[in-house]
Amino acid sequence: MKGMFLYTRRLRVGVQLRLPRHQWYSTSNSQARSESLSTAQIEFWRKVPAWRDTTETQFLDYKWQTKNSLENASSLLAFLNSVVPSTVPTARGQITTQGTFVSDVAAGMLRAPMATRLTPYLLSLINWDNPYSDPIRRQFIPLASSLQPDHPQLQLDSLHESRDSPVKGLVHRYPDKVLFLASSVCPVYCRFCTRSYSVGAKTETVSKKRFLPLRKYWEPMFEYIAQTLAVTDVVVSGGDSFFLEPAQLREIGHELLGIEHVRRIRFASKGLSVCPSRILDPSDKWTEALVEISELGRKRGKSVALHTHFNHPQEISWITERAAQRLFENAVTVRNQTVLLNGVNNDVDTMKSLVRRLADNNIQPYYVYQGDMVKGVEDLRTPLRDILHIESHVRGTIAGFMTPSFVVDLPGGGGKRLAATFESYNQDTGVSTFVAPGVKGSTVHEYHDPLWSLPG
């Protein structure tokens, strides 16, 4: 007992209790835990001139976040002119001007497969004094000067989801699992989206096959699931389930939980990483709906989880920590799926830090994905050797149940395979081969490293 007492005291050394300025949600006796988190509670959004006078109450309001999100090229370029200094360092350490950077973004957006949508929360986390190298900027705002020629094998629908779709909006690839595409809208648009063929508004380079969040479109999907007894697992994605209205979230959750053979539901959402204030906002009922579905699932002996998406530790703020704590207090299972991205997280130290930060906030590091072979983002893809190297150095540094699986989602619809289970890998040609017996039998699937990473 003495040893346990000393260990507990050591955990508390240096922790400074912070009382909330506003009561954002009902708390239990664990309020002290939720308010003694590691990240400094600073009003980081005040660094942005347009939000210098924005209060914490305003910034944490979900309606304020959506109202002030940037949703087109002109608004983003105007924003950049207000936050980027007159001179900035390039990725190579040279000095360039604000105008050059903004022009670089404008040219990049003309070639990007994804439209623009960015929340104030996410924009506030970017280091605008060094925008070329910032890991968050790299994920969401393209630069023409950084783009690389597409590999000849790249496709918009590299996973062949359209071919594995028995009804519109539903992907049935694995024997017991389906992907339910409830919407084609997200709170933000990632440059590297695997569904750039459908998600978001059309761009200069891509027309979209959109999925609208309407019952008449969902009905055939519900019917297929109900009639297909082998389906026990449903992933509700899109788009992003964060953009569903609370009533729509409840509708989908209750409908799926009412199908006897469905045992597991996963709601896929990047919301916790790009707009965590919605989890806390008492005037918004999305989280309340998620908690309700989670509780109903447990009563019926079924699993309901939230699958979110963090790629870099810089994305985790004190707002994230408080939102994650609310979900944890309400027994919502949260898992994270990371994408390995060049210049963002393809180094050992960054990945170790991300995994540990997630684990410490009760977010299970679930997958680290090799970047999909989608068009228009070749600068962000990494060679297979990167994910193999990172896994070898991450595994063993944290508890096994908090160690993610490092996987390749195989081109051509082979599904997820551990990156280390390749059949062959020629680093000179950059070609690795995989088979997926449980999904596509003996079919051989090839993953191609980006051309820029090949020798010579």
Side-chain angles (χ1 to χ4, degrees):
M1 291 297 292
K2 181 179 179 181
M4 180 62 72
F5 174 72
L6 290 174
Y7 178 67
T8 304
R9 285 194 63 188
R10 287 193 192 101
L11 282 178
R12 293 179 179 174
V13 170
V15 173
Q16 181 179 0
L17 184 65
R18 293 194 304 270
L19 297 178
R21 297 184 186 182
H22 303 283
Q23 194 69 25
W24 280 94
Y25 62 95
S26 299
T27 58
S28 64
N29 292 335
S30 58
Q31 175 67 46
R33 166 64 184 90
S34 67
E35 294 303 332
S36 59
L37 301 167
S38 60
T39 305
Q41 188 172 321
I42 59 173
E43 296 178 331
F44 51 86
W45 58 88
R46 291 183 183 269
K47 296 181 297 181
V48 176
W51 306 320
R52 185 172 291 135
D53 298 325
T54 301
T55 66
E56 180 181 314
T57 301
Q58 290 173 315
F59 191 77
L60 295 183
D61 182 84
Y62 178 62
K63 290 182 179 178
W64 186 93
Q65 286 284 327
T66 55
K67 180 181 178 181
N68 289 278
S69 292
L70 305 184
E71 299 188 359
N72 54 57
S74 59
S75 64
L76 174 58
L77 296 178
F79 175 84
L80 295 177
N81 280 315
S82 73
V83 294
V84 177
S86 57
T87 59
V88 293
T90 67
R92 296 180 180 180
Q94 301 169 329
I95 301 298
T96 190
T97 65
Q98 177 200 74
T100 300
F101 175 79
V102 174
S103 296
D104 203 355
V105 171
M109 293 173 70
L110 293 175
R111 297 165 58 184
M114 294 301 294
T116 297
R117 175 172 279 154
L118 295 163
T119 60
Y121 172 81
L122 194 66
L123 290 163
S124 299
L125 294 177
I126 295 174
N127 178 9
W128 292 111
D129 290 333
N130 192 8
Y132 278 96
S133 298
D134 188 88
I136 298 179
R137 193 285 304 163
R138 287 182 62 83
Q139 296 178 60
F140 298 98
I141 302 175
L143 295 176
S145 62
S146 298
L147 299 180
Q148 295 285 340
D150 280 347
H151 192 290
Q153 297 295 323
L154 299 188
Q155 303 177 42
L156 283 177
D157 183 10
S158 69
L159 303 183
H160 289 185
E161 291 183 338
S162 299
R163 297 184 189 181
D164 289 330
S165 180
V167 296
K168 184 179 179 180
L170 199 72
V171 180
H172 190 181
R173 172 172 299 139
Y174 300 93
D176 67 341
K177 185 184 83 172
V178 294
L179 177 65
F180 189 107
L181 300 177
S183 171
S184 58
V185 182
C186 300
V188 301
Y189 293 134
C190 309
R191 291 182 52 215
F192 51 90
C193 181
T194 194
R195 282 186 204 104
S196 57
Y197 69 90
S198 68
V199 171
K202 68 178 182 178
T203 67
E204 296 289 335
T205 58
V206 182
S207 297
K208 308 286 181 172
K209 301 176 182 178
R210 305 194 70 187
F211 302 100
L212 299 177
L214 300 173
R215 176 77 192 201
K216 67 178 182 179
Y217 294 114
W218 296 342
E219 198 63 52
M221 299 152 71
F222 289 136
E223 290 178 3
Y224 178 89
I225 295 170
Q227 295 169 6
T228 310
L229 300 183
V231 174
T232 59
D233 197 323
V234 181
V235 178
V236 181
S237 184
D240 194 314
S241 57
F242 208 61
F243 243 59
L244 297 174
E245 293 296 326
Q248 293 174 319
L249 194 70
R250 282 190 176 92
E251 180 180 4
I252 292 173
H254 283 261
E255 186 80 29
L256 294 176
L257 288 173
I259 300 174
E260 184 176 356
H261 54 269
V262 172
R263 307 300 304 172
R264 290 169 295 280
I265 303 173
R266 301 175 241 172
F267 290 98
S269 174
K270 200 172 172 66
L272 183 59
S273 67
V274 300
C275 195
S277 58
R278 187 178 198 184
I279 306 295
L280 303 172
D281 189 344
S283 68
D284 187 272
K285 303 304 180 183
W286 190 92
T287 305
E288 182 180 293
L290 178 64
V291 171
E292 176 188 304
I293 297 165
S294 177
E295 291 175 347
L296 179 61
R298 281 194 299 278
K299 289 178 181 178
R300 297 184 179 182
K302 300 184 177 187
S303 169
V304 176
L306 175 68
H307 280 206
T308 190
H309 180 187
F310 290 85
N311 289 327
H312 194 277
Q314 187 175 318
E315 299 166 20
I316 301 175
S317 72
W318 62 267
I319 303 174
T320 317
E321 293 178 324
R322 195 187 292 181
Q325 177 64 17
R326 183 190 182 188
L327 294 172
F328 184 66
E329 287 184 9
N330 285 277
V332 176
T333 298
V334 184
R335 305 186 187 105
N336 185 71
Q337 301 183 158
T338 292
V339 178
L340 194 67
L341 299 168
N342 180 47
V344 175
N345 56 16
N346 62 324
D347 65 275
V348 171
D349 288 343
T350 299
M351 190 60 68
K352 281 184 177 179
S353 176
L354 175 62
V355 167
R356 189 161 293 279
R357 291 288 301 280
L358 292 169
D360 288 349
N361 283 282
N362 299 298
I363 302 169
Q364 182 187 356
Y366 179 42
Y367 279 138
V368 174
Y369 285 93
Q370 182 75 354
D372 291 334
M373 292 176 56
V374 293
K375 290 185 176 182
V377 289
E378 193 71 337
D379 58 305
L380 288 177
R381 285 206 307 129
T382 65
L384 188 73
R385 62 177 180 268
D386 281 15
I387 198 170
L388 299 173
H389 173 75
I390 291 171
E391 179 184 11
S392 69
H393 286 77
V394 170
R395 192 166 296 282
T397 64
I398 195 168
F401 64 90
M402 283 297 180
T403 301
S405 294
F406 293 78
V407 300
V408 181
D409 206 346
L410 298 180
K416 303 172 190 66
R417 298 293 288 175
L418 293 174
T421 63
F422 58 83
E423 297 290 309
S424 64
Y425 181 26
N426 186 327
Q427 294 194 36
D428 290 331
T429 62
V431 179
S432 51
T433 61
F434 296 80
V435 293
V439 181
K440 297 289 185 180
S442 59
T443 303
V444 176
H445 301 262
E446 291 185 350
Y447 185 87
H448 294 258
D449 290 349
L451 294 175
W452 62 258
S453 71
L454 300 182

